[in-house]
Amino acid sequence: MDSALSDPHNGSAEAGGPANGTTRPPSTPEGIALAYGSLLLMALLPIFFGALRSVRCARGKNSSDMPETITSRDAARFPIIASCTLLGLYLFFKIFSQEYINLLLSMYFFVLGILALSHTISPFMNKFFPASFPNRQYQLLFTQGSGENKEEIINYEFDTKDLVCLGLSSIVGVWYLLRKHWIANNLFGLAFSLNGVELLHLNNVSTGCILLGGLFIYDVFWVFGTNVMVTVAKSFEAPIKLVFPQDLLEKGLEADNFAMLGLGDIVIPGIFIALLLRFDISLKKDTHTYFYTSFAAYIFGLGLTIFIMHVFKHAQPALLYLVPACVGFPVLVALAKGEVTEMFSYESSAEILPHTPRLTHFPTVSGSPASLADSMQQKLAGPRRRRPQNPSAM
C-alpha cells in the first residue's frame, strides 16, 4: 500500500507532468495551498466517518459484514509483506510494459472500486428510498462438493437497494476506466480508505503500536533509502492514492500538476484512531478524549509532513511524522489521566467485538436476517458475507 506524500516540484515534469522533458509553469501559492488543504480534508473524512462506522460495525451482532481483527502476529508480518509487494511491483514496472500492467490493474480496481463505493454510499442512499420502494431480496450462492462435503465458496445476499447503489457506483467506475479522471480516482480512493478504517480492527493498543512502528521503518526506508516507493506511486495508475491538482485555478478540471497522498497514510493511522474511539466508549465516561486527541494529532502530523515537503521539495514518508504524533499524543494524555494501564490492557475483540473472528476466519450465515444472530453463535467458518441488508445511517 503506497504511503508517500509527494509534491511535484514547481517547474518540473513529475507526477503527471509532460513526458517530453518540457517544464510546466510554476504553481501559484493559492493553487498550492488549495491542493494541500484539499488533501488534508480528504484524508480526515474517511478517518472520522470510518471510525464512527467501525463502532457500529463492531456492535452489530446481527451483522454479516464482520470486521477483520488484526492481531500482533499479523501486525509484525505486515511490513515484510508490504515490502515484498512494493518491491515486486517496482520490478514488474521495470521489466514489463507499464501500459499492459496498468491495463490489468485498471480492470481489477474497476471492479473493486465499484464494490467499495457501493458499500460506502449504501447507508446514505437508504435514506432516500421511499417506504413504498419495491425492495426484493436476492442471494448469490456458489458451492463445491456435494452432500456432507459441500462447502460454500460464495454466499452473498443483496436486495434491490443494493443494486441501485451498485449501478450508481458503476457510473463512476466507467468514468474512471475511460478517463482516469482525478475526481473519479479520489472517489474510489476515499471509498477504499473509509472501508479500510471501518472494517480493519486492531485488537489492542499494543498491536497498533507494533503495526505503526513497523510501517514507520518501512515508510522511511522505502522513501528515503530508495526511489522505489515514489517510482511505484507515479507509475501505478490505480486509485491507491488521493491526488489534487496544484494548477486547478489555472486549468480547471483538466489540471494535471498533482500533489498526492498514499492511502496507507490514511488507513494505517485511521484504524489506530478508530481503536481509540472504541476504547473511549469502553470507558463509559461519555467523552471521546483519546479519539479527539489522536484525530488532532493526525492533523498536526500530516500538516507537518506537508510543510516539510513544501520546504525541501522532496517526497516525504508521511508515517515518519504521523506515527509519533498519533501514538505519542494519546499516550501522553493517558499518562496525565493515569489511564495507561487501562489503555494497554483494553482488548477491542473482548470488549465490543465478542464474536469477531481473527483475520481470515469468517462466519457462514445463511437464511433470513432474523437467523443471523443464531448462526453467528455457531462455529466460525466459511467465506465472508455482505453487509446487513438495512445498514443504519451514520
Side-chain angles (χ1 to χ4, degrees), residues 131-348:
S132 59
F133 183 81
N135 194 34
R136 296 184 177 182
Q137 308 297 319
Y138 304 93
Q139 183 180 23
L140 183 64
L141 178 62
F142 286 94
T143 63
Q144 68 176 7
S146 61
E148 295 181 355
N149 296 324
K150 182 179 290 186
E151 180 182 357
E152 290 183 0
I153 304 300
I154 297 176
N155 190 348
Y156 188 84
E157 293 179 359
F158 56 98
D159 54 34
T160 309
K161 294 179 180 179
D162 294 323
L163 293 178
V164 173
C165 294
L166 199 64
L168 294 175
S169 302
S170 298
I171 297 174
V172 178
V174 172
W175 183 24
Y176 170 77
L177 194 63
L178 296 179
R179 295 290 306 278
K180 294 294 191 301
H181 199 277
W182 60 273
I183 294 180
N185 173 92
N186 287 347
L187 288 174
F188 277 170
L190 290 171
F192 288 141
S193 300
L194 191 145
N195 278 273
V197 176
E198 176 187 359
L199 299 174
L200 293 176
H201 289 194
L202 296 165
N203 64 347
N204 55 49
V205 173
S206 297
T207 298
C209 292
I210 294 172
L211 179 65
L212 268 68
L215 291 176
F216 172 91
I217 299 173
Y218 157 89
D219 213 17
V220 172
F221 173 77
W222 288 112
V223 173
F224 283 154
T226 71
N227 68 336
V228 171
M229 183 175 290
V230 176
T231 300
V232 171
K234 292 177 179 179
S235 304
F236 203 90
E237 292 183 5
I240 60 165
K241 55 186 178 287
L242 299 179
V243 298
F244 200 91
Q246 299 189 43
D247 53 348
L248 179 68
L249 300 178
E250 292 79 25
K251 296 185 178 180
L253 296 180
E254 299 303 319
D256 59 359
N257 183 17
F258 296 108
M260 67 180 72
L261 175 66
L263 298 190
D265 298 327
I266 302 172
V267 176
I268 299 304
I271 60 177
F272 187 76
I273 294 171
L275 171 68
L276 293 181
L277 175 59
R278 299 193 296 275
F279 171 62
D280 275 324
I281 294 173
S282 73
L283 295 176
K284 299 181 174 62
K285 294 183 179 180
D286 296 326
T287 60
H288 295 158
T289 304
Y290 295 101
F291 171 67
Y292 290 126
T293 299
S294 57
F295 194 74
Y298 181 86
I299 297 174
F300 170 78
L302 190 57
L304 181 61
T305 306
I306 292 173
F307 173 76
I308 293 177
M309 180 188 65
H310 181 64
V311 170
F312 291 97
K313 304 295 184 185
H314 188 276
Q316 295 295 312
L319 294 181
L320 172 64
Y321 312 97
L322 290 172
V323 170
C326 291
V327 174
F329 284 26
V331 170
L332 289 176
V333 171
L335 284 171
K337 298 181 68 175
E339 295 177 342
V340 175
T341 302
E342 289 87 343
M343 173 183 281
F344 281 89
S345 62
Y346 166 71
E347 285 285 340
S348 176

